[in-house]
Coordinates of all heavy atoms in Angstrom, one line a residue:
W1 N 0.3 17.7 -25.7 CA -0.5 16.7 -26.4 C -1.6 17.3 -27.1 O -2.4 16.6 -27.8 CB -0.9 15.6 -25.4 CG 0.2 14.9 -24.8 CD1 0.6 15.0 -23.5 CD2 1.1 14.0 -25.4 NE1 1.7 14.2 -23.2 CE2 2.1 13.6 -24.4 CE3 1.3 13.6 -26.7 CZ2 3.1 12.8 -24.7 CZ3 2.4 12.7 -26.9 CH2 3.2 12.3 -25.9
G2 N -1.8 18.6 -27.0 CA -2.9 19.3 -27.8 C -4.3 19.1 -27.4 O -5.2 19.4 -28.1
M3 N -4.5 18.6 -26.2 CA -5.9 18.5 -25.7 C -6.5 19.8 -25.3 O -5.7 20.7 -24.9 CB -5.9 17.5 -24.5 CG -5.5 16.1 -24.7 SD -5.6 15.2 -23.2 CE -4.7 13.7 -23.6
T4 N -7.8 19.9 -25.3 CA -8.4 21.1 -24.7 C -8.4 20.8 -23.2 O -8.3 19.7 -22.8 CB -9.9 21.2 -25.2 OG1 -10.6 20.1 -24.7 CG2 -10.0 21.3 -26.7
P5 N -8.6 21.9 -22.4 CA -8.7 21.7 -21.0 C -9.8 20.7 -20.6 O -9.7 19.9 -19.7 CB -9.0 23.1 -20.4 CG -8.3 24.0 -21.4 CD -8.6 23.3 -22.7
G6 N -10.9 20.8 -21.3 CA -12.0 19.8 -21.1 C -11.7 18.4 -21.3 O -12.1 17.5 -20.5
E7 N -10.9 18.1 -22.4 CA -10.5 16.8 -22.7 C -9.5 16.3 -21.6 O -9.5 15.2 -21.1 CB -9.8 16.7 -24.0 CG -10.8 16.9 -25.2 CD -10.0 17.1 -26.5 OE1 -8.9 17.6 -26.5 OE2 -10.7 16.8 -27.5
S8 N -8.6 17.2 -21.2 CA -7.6 16.9 -20.3 C -8.1 16.5 -18.9 O -7.7 15.5 -18.3 CB -6.6 18.1 -20.1 OG -5.6 17.7 -19.2
V9 N -9.0 17.3 -18.3 CA -9.5 16.9 -17.0 C -10.3 15.7 -16.9 O -10.6 15.1 -15.9 CB -10.3 18.1 -16.4 CG1 -9.4 19.3 -16.2 CG2 -11.6 18.4 -17.1
Q10 N -10.7 15.1 -18.1 CA -11.4 13.8 -18.2 C -10.5 12.7 -18.1 O -10.9 11.5 -18.0 CB -12.3 13.8 -19.4 CG -13.3 14.8 -19.5 CD -14.4 14.6 -18.5 OE1 -14.8 13.5 -18.1 NE2 -15.0 15.7 -18.1
Q11 N -9.2 12.9 -18.3 CA -8.2 11.8 -18.4 C -7.9 11.2 -17.0 O -7.9 11.9 -16.0 CB -6.9 12.3 -19.0 CG -7.0 12.9 -20.3 CD -7.5 11.9 -21.3 OE1 -7.1 10.8 -21.5 NE2 -8.6 12.3 -22.1
P12 N -7.7 9.9 -16.9 CA -7.2 9.3 -15.7 C -5.9 9.9 -15.2 O -5.1 10.2 -16.0 CB -7.0 7.8 -16.0 CG -7.8 7.6 -17.3 CD -7.7 8.9 -18.0
M13 N -5.8 10.0 -13.9 CA -4.6 10.6 -13.3 C -3.9 9.7 -12.3 O -4.4 8.7 -11.9 CB -5.1 11.9 -12.5 CG -5.7 12.9 -13.3 SD -4.5 13.8 -14.2 CE -5.4 14.3 -15.6
F14 N -2.6 10.1 -12.0 CA -1.9 9.4 -11.0 C -1.4 10.5 -10.0 O -1.5 11.7 -10.2 CB -0.6 8.7 -11.6 CG 0.3 9.6 -12.2 CD1 1.3 10.3 -11.5 CD2 0.3 9.9 -13.6 CE1 2.2 11.2 -12.1 CE2 1.2 10.7 -14.2 CZ 2.1 11.4 -13.5
G15 N -1.0 10.0 -8.8 CA -0.6 11.0 -7.8 C 0.1 10.4 -6.6 O 0.3 9.2 -6.6
A16 N 0.5 11.3 -5.7 CA 1.3 10.8 -4.6 C 0.4 10.7 -3.4 O -0.5 11.5 -3.2 CB 2.4 11.9 -4.3
P17 N 0.6 9.7 -2.5 CA -0.2 9.6 -1.3 C 0.2 10.7 -0.3 O 1.2 11.3 -0.3 CB 0.2 8.2 -0.8 CG 1.6 8.0 -1.3 CD 1.7 8.7 -2.6
L18 N -0.8 10.9 0.6 CA -0.5 11.9 1.7 C 0.6 11.5 2.6 O 1.4 12.3 3.1 CB -1.8 12.1 2.5 CG -1.8 13.3 3.5 CD1 -1.5 14.6 2.9 CD2 -3.2 13.3 4.2
Y19 N 0.7 10.2 2.9 CA 1.7 9.7 3.8 C 2.8 9.0 2.9 O 2.5 8.2 2.1 CB 1.1 8.7 4.8 CG 0.0 9.3 5.6 CD1 -1.3 9.1 5.3 CD2 0.3 10.2 6.6 CE1 -2.3 9.8 6.0 CE2 -0.7 10.8 7.3 CZ -2.0 10.6 7.0 OH -3.0 11.2 7.7
P20 N 4.1 9.4 3.2 CA 5.2 8.9 2.3 C 5.4 7.4 2.4 O 6.0 6.8 1.5 CB 6.4 9.6 2.8 CG 6.0 10.2 4.1 CD 4.5 10.3 4.2
N21 N 4.9 6.7 3.4 CA 5.1 5.2 3.4 C 4.1 4.4 2.6 O 4.1 3.2 2.7 CB 5.1 4.8 4.9 CG 3.8 5.0 5.6 OD1 3.0 5.8 5.1 ND2 3.5 4.3 6.7
Q22 N 3.2 5.1 1.9 CA 2.2 4.4 1.1 C 2.6 4.4 -0.4 O 3.5 5.2 -0.8 CB 0.8 5.1 1.2 CG 0.3 5.0 2.6 CD -1.1 5.6 2.7 OE1 -1.6 6.2 1.8 NE2 -1.7 5.5 3.9
R23 N 2.0 3.5 -1.2 CA 2.4 3.4 -2.6 C 1.8 4.6 -3.4 O 0.7 5.2 -3.0 CB 1.8 2.1 -3.1 CG 2.5 0.9 -2.6 CD 1.9 -0.3 -3.1 NE 0.6 -0.6 -2.5 CZ -0.3 -1.4 -3.0 NH1 0.0 -2.2 -4.0 NH2 -1.4 -1.6 -2.4
P24 N 2.4 5.0 -4.5 CA 1.8 6.0 -5.4 C 0.4 5.5 -5.8 O 0.1 4.3 -5.9 CB 2.7 6.0 -6.6 CG 4.0 5.4 -6.1 CD 3.6 4.5 -5.0

């Protein structure tokens, strides 16, 4: 997407929960 690293780390993120029975 051509972002600088500084622009990128400012973006909202998604992730996986620590426990598999929880929602992303």
Side-chain angles (χ1 to χ4, degrees):
W1 300 110
M3 293 182 195
T4 67
E7 292 167 334
S8 180
V9 297
Q10 298 291 328
Q11 301 302 308
M13 296 285 151
F14 61 85
L18 187 57
Y19 301 101
N21 62 341
Q22 294 180 357
R23 293 181 286 169

